[in-house]
């Protein structure tokens, strides 16, 4: 996909230490969502369902009719008002029988549209093969055909808000437990130590950092596990997220902290040359410098004759470089490639994440 524009977002949060609640950086081990999946049929389509080439749909229609005592040879079925679909949902922790779940329905055949269809009762299974929910009902494509995913004016993905009922629960027996385990969302020795100390300052000798990601909690006397965790998860501590650069190559978006520095380097990419040299010489020839591309008060120059960007500041950041390359007229792909190569050569020390 061609990238048409570049968006550079500079996030101050990566360099400012803030009071953060433990629940914002950690999860309780074992308390999580579970993915559910099922195979079903959508009926009532206005000739936009699967064609005769989708043999599994024809066979599914025949099997479904047999469950209501109608025996039909699959070779005699010529319906285009039915589509085979995969049905997915997320079972939240502590969901109880009768709770309703949102469902997503996706065509797997050659149907042109699921608009106006109704999902027949579909069993939603977990990874263990057990049936945890049943889904059924009229589909919604959300905001009309042009706004639906998967097919523009012919949507092949639909939703079923609260269209599934929980049939089987995933049991979390908290009342009998004497300890639980917290899992940090990122492995970090410093953060694990801070979380441990913050908890022990409120509940003495209850938290132990087992490793840079895991904290074991022993329930103190006089508290139920639910009450204990509700208080622990709301404890605040000083937290500084790890600095990183995030690049979305599809949209050309670069997210960076304001304090991420780039070490001295010289890199040539295509017809662009970037020089990062502290207190370096700036070309004094006014014929080679475009005054519209030089930041006032900074040590940056652009030599239009050689398409060279020279940054002589004693402290150069990712923000400086991306802004300067934009002024030079570099394309988003070129800017992303330059940052990636600066990371490879060691001029950028923080992790670079490409999504």
């Amino acid at each position: 996909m061609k990238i048409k524009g570049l968006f550079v977002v500079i996030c101050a949060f990566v360099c400012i230490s803030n009071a953060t609640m433990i629940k914002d950086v950690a999860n309780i081990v074992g308390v999580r969502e579970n993915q559910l999946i099922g195979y079903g049929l959508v009926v009532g389509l206005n000739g936009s369902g699967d064609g005769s080439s989708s043999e599994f749909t024809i066979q599914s229609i025949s099997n479904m009719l047999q469950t209501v005592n109608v025996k039909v040879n699959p070779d005699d079925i010529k319906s285009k008002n039915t589509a085979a679909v995969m049905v997915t949902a997320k079972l939240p922790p502590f969901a109880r029988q009768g709770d309703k779940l949102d469902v997503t329905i996706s065509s797997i055949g050659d149907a042109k549209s699921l608009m106006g269809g109704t999902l027949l009762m579909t069993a939603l299974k977990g990874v263990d093969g057990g049936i945890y929910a049943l889904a059924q009902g009229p589909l919604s494509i959300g905001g009309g055909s042009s706004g639906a995913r998967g097919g523009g004016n012919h949507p092949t993905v639909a939703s079923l808000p609260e269209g599934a009922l929980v049939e089987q629960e995933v049991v979390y027996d908290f009342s009998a437990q004497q300890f639980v385990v917290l899992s940090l969302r990122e492995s970090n020795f410093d953060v694990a130590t801070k979380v441990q100390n913050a908890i022990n300052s409120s509940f003495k000798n209850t938290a132990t950092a087992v490793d840079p990601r895991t904290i074991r909690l022993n329930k103190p006397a006089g508290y139920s596990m639910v009450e204990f965790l509700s208080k622990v998860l709301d404890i605040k501590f000083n937290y500084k997220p790890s600095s990183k650069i995030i690049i979305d190559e599809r949209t050309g978006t670069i997210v960076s902290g304001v304090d991420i520095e780039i070490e001295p380097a010289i890199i040539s990419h295509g017809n662009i040359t970037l020089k990062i040299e502290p207190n370096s010489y700036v070309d004094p020839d006014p014929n080679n410098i475009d005054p519209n591309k030089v930041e006032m008060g900074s040590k940056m120059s652009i030599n239009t004759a050689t398409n060279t960007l020279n940054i002589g500041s004693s402290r150069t950041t990712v923000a400086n470089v991306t802004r300067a390359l934009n002024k030079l007229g570099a394309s988003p792909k070129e800017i992303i490639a330059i940052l990636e190569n600066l990371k490879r050569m060691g001029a950028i020390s923080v992790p670079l994440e490409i999504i």
Side-chain angles (χ1 to χ4, degrees), residues 67-102:
T67 64
V68 291
N69 298 320
V70 177
K71 293 185 178 181
V72 180
N73 189 321
D75 295 335
D76 296 331
I77 298 176
K78 304 296 180 182
S79 173
K80 289 187 178 181
N81 293 344
T82 305
V85 295
M86 296 305 297
V87 184
T88 57
K90 293 180 180 179
L91 181 69
F94 306 108
R96 300 305 180 197
Q97 288 185 1
D99 288 354
K100 295 181 179 181
L101 308 178
D102 293 338

Side-chain angles (χ1 to χ4, degrees), residues 123-200:
L124 300 181
K125 299 180 179 181
V127 68
D128 60 355
I131 296 175
Y132 289 88
L134 296 176
Q136 180 171 282
L139 306 188
S140 169
I141 59 171
S145 59
S146 61
R149 295 188 295 128
N153 292 327
H154 303 288
T156 54
V157 177
S159 63
L160 191 52
E162 297 187 342
L165 290 176
V166 175
E167 295 293 324
Q168 181 178 335
E169 303 172 359
V170 176
V171 179
Y172 298 91
D173 187 7
F174 266 44
S175 61
Q177 296 184 12
Q178 294 301 311
F179 75 91
V180 294
V181 176
L182 296 182
S183 176
L184 298 179
R185 291 168 191 167
E186 292 186 11
S187 295
N188 188 302
F189 284 99
D190 182 58
V191 175
T193 301
K194 287 181 177 179
V195 170
Q196 169 193 266
N197 295 340
I199 296 173
N200 286 335

Side-chain angles (χ1 to χ4, degrees), residues 2 15 35 54 58 79 109 122-123 149 155-156 201 265 285:
K2 185 177 180 181
C15 63
Q35 302 288 340
S54 297
I58 302 300
S79 173
T122 302
R149 295 188 295 128
T156 54
S201 66
D285 185 354

